[in-house]
Amino acid sequence: MRAQSSATAAPAIAVATPGPESRGFGTLQAALGVVAFSLTFPATAWGLEGFGPWSLVAVRSVLAAVIAGAALLALRVPLPARRHRPGLAVVGGGVVLGFPLLTTLALETSTTAHAAVVVGLLPLTTALFSALRVGTRPSRTFWFAALAGAAAVLAFTVQQSGGALTTADLYLFAALLVCAAGYTEGGRLARVMPGWQVIGWALVLCLPLTVPVAAFALVHEPVQLTAHSVTGLLWVAAGSQFVGLVVWYRGMAAIGIPKASQLQLAQPLLTLVWSVLLLGERLTVAAPLTAAAVLVCIAVTQRSRG
């Protein structure tokens, strides 16, 4: 693979405004990304049944990087331009390394319902990062709906966990910040390069760190290969870490970072559904009420004008 020449790396790149069909398809892709992400916490819980936290995070990143690297090599994709590499480093630090590691450490002592607090606050945090980094200025209606949706999800997830805050919250709030930064930078890059290449190169660039960490962790942490642990590992590697991020970044590029981020308001509720089906957790009667409130907020944010 060769680096892009300076002749093909013009500083300014015109981005066409997507039409209604493109925005609709972008919304669908972002929604598919949310579905993939909603399985991450239950899959991580499965993975922790047979792997240590460091092993699980490092191995998932290496496996996802192998998939991404194979696709990049097969299609002979040139190396990213130098001006894009700092942004890719932010994506790698936030989405490839930071969020998976911090949430995995949190899930050692926290339930998936409690960890969903992070996901409930992530859309609002991503919109804030977007306003600071990309210069987007959503309308007041957008912000009102976003805050209302975040408040509804936060209240629901805290109630699900019994209202108690644990030491895992430090991990969760830190994960919230680094993931929002990674999403924002990835969404910005996905406007000038294919979304799958954004996450693909971020994964590959992290290999010099993830490979030695994986080797060290596998030696020092116990490993027990079971159907659950292997399935959980494969999903967080292929589904959450690569495929989900590919469609997610493509969706953000099509409909904008703030509006795409609001689709994630539904993610905690989806996670709780999977937790019931896959982990045997129980839902309260508050679930359908919160789901209705979140859907209303999503509808408002999607129709509001920035």
Side-chain angles (χ1 to χ4, degrees):
M1 292 181 285
R2 55 186 176 81
Q4 291 176 330
S5 65
S6 58
T8 61
I13 298 178
V15 180
T17 301
E21 292 185 2
S22 177
R23 289 195 297 269
F25 187 53
T27 300
L28 174 61
Q29 292 182 99
L32 290 175
V34 170
V35 173
F37 299 153
S38 71
L39 282 160
T40 300
F41 286 168
T44 299
W46 273 9
L48 286 172
E49 293 180 13
F51 295 91
W54 291 89
S55 299
L56 182 62
V57 172
V59 172
R60 70 178 273 185
S61 297
V62 171
L63 290 178
V66 169
I67 298 172
L72 292 168
L73 283 172
L75 296 176
R76 298 183 179 180
V77 177
L79 291 171
R82 288 184 179 274
R83 70 183 186 281
H84 296 324
R85 295 176 189 177
L88 290 172
V90 174
V91 175
V95 178
V96 175
L97 300 176
F99 186 78
L101 177 60
L102 291 167
T103 53
T104 299
L105 291 173
L107 284 171
E108 284 197 296
T109 57
S110 174
T111 64
T112 57
H114 190 77
V117 171
V118 172
V119 183
L121 294 177
L122 187 55
L124 178 59
T125 309
T126 302
L128 289 172
F129 269 77
S130 174
L132 294 173
R133 178 67 178 89
V134 187
T136 56
R137 293 295 182 268
S139 66
R140 291 183 179 179
T141 301
F142 177 97
W143 285 115
F144 177 80
L147 287 169
V153 171
L154 180 59
F156 175 71
T157 50
V158 170
Q159 185 273 334
Q160 284 293 106
S161 64
L165 298 179
T166 68
T167 55
D169 287 325
L170 291 178
Y171 290 132
L172 296 174
F173 289 131
L176 171 69
L177 296 177
V178 298
C179 189
Y183 277 173
T184 300
E185 200 65 20
R188 185 187 67 82
L189 289 173
R191 294 185 175 187
V192 296
M193 61 192 297
W196 75 272
Q197 292 183 23
V198 173
I199 185 57
W201 283 121
L203 285 163
V204 171
L205 289 174
C206 289
L207 277 175
L209 179 62
T210 55
V211 168
V213 170
F216 182 84
L218 287 172
V219 171
H220 291 82
E221 289 183 335
V223 175
Q224 183 178 2
L225 299 180
T226 64
H228 275 186
S229 64
V230 173
T231 300
L233 171 63
L234 292 178
W235 177 258
V236 294
S240 302
Q241 194 83 73
F242 184 65
V243 177
L245 285 169
V246 167
V247 294
W248 173 244
Y249 282 142
R250 286 176 62 89
M252 280 200 295
I255 66 177
I257 297 172
K259 287 190 176 181
S261 70
Q262 300 314 304
L263 292 174
Q264 281 196 307
L265 287 169
Q267 186 175 325
L269 304 180
L270 289 173
T271 297
L272 291 172
V273 171
W274 297 125
S275 297
V276 170
L277 297 177
L278 302 177
L279 303 177
E281 295 185 6
R282 299 180 62 184
L283 289 180
T284 67
V285 294
L289 297 178
T290 308
V294 168
L295 290 176
V296 170
C297 293
I298 291 176
V300 172
T301 58
Q302 291 300 298
R303 291 179 178 274
S304 65
R305 298 177 62 182

